[in-house]
Amino acid sequence: MEELLGMLFFAAILGLIPGFIAKSKGYSFGAWWLYGFLIFIVAIIHVLFIPNKKNIEQKIINDLERYKKLFEEGIITEEEFESKKEDLKSKLNTIIKKD
């Protein structure tokens, strides 16, 4: 019984590693901790390859600013700007909801 408790404690500690890495990338600590607790080796590899949400969100914001500038300069039409704006908002909402 003590061995089982020791193993569970060790797994809980190991689960912290993917949890903290995921949190630093903008994802849920709790979900990734559980993933790491249950199957650490898969979770640690997975979390190292997931994109940083914060970088993706910033890129979308930068793209929106770029399209706004193009619209203001008359390079793209209002319809094109609104279309791009809606696409970018949709992408941003998808990223936020995935958490």
Side-chain angles (χ1 to χ4, degrees):
M1 185 66 169
E2 284 183 31
E3 284 184 30
L4 178 61
L5 289 176
M7 289 174 51
L8 290 174
F9 179 75
F10 185 67
I13 297 300
L14 279 179
L16 294 172
I17 297 169
F20 281 119
I21 294 171
K23 183 179 178 185
S24 74
K25 292 183 173 190
Y27 295 88
S28 168
F29 172 84
W32 280 90
W33 172 83
L34 181 61
Y35 185 18
F37 173 75
L38 296 173
I39 44 177
F40 174 78
I41 196 69
V42 175
I44 193 68
I45 293 168
H46 187 182
V47 78
L48 292 174
F49 288 100
I50 61 171
N52 189 328
K53 256 190 191 183
K54 296 171 186 175
N55 291 346
I56 295 170
E57 290 170 355
Q58 188 59 49
K59 182 184 180 318
I60 290 172
I61 292 168
N62 290 343
D63 286 349
L64 181 58
E65 290 171 352
R66 190 177 89 237
Y67 284 115
K68 183 178 180 188
K69 186 176 180 182
L70 290 172
F71 168 63
E72 289 170 350
E73 293 175 356
I75 297 172
I76 62 173
T77 66
E78 183 176 358
E79 293 80 24
E80 291 171 320
F81 171 69
E82 290 299 325
S83 173
K84 287 294 183 180
K85 184 170 83 171
E86 290 305 314
D87 289 345
L88 294 171
K89 281 184 179 180
S90 175
K91 286 180 185 179
L92 189 58
N93 286 335
T94 301
I95 290 168
I96 292 170
K97 288 179 184 177
K98 280 186 178 180
D99 191 11

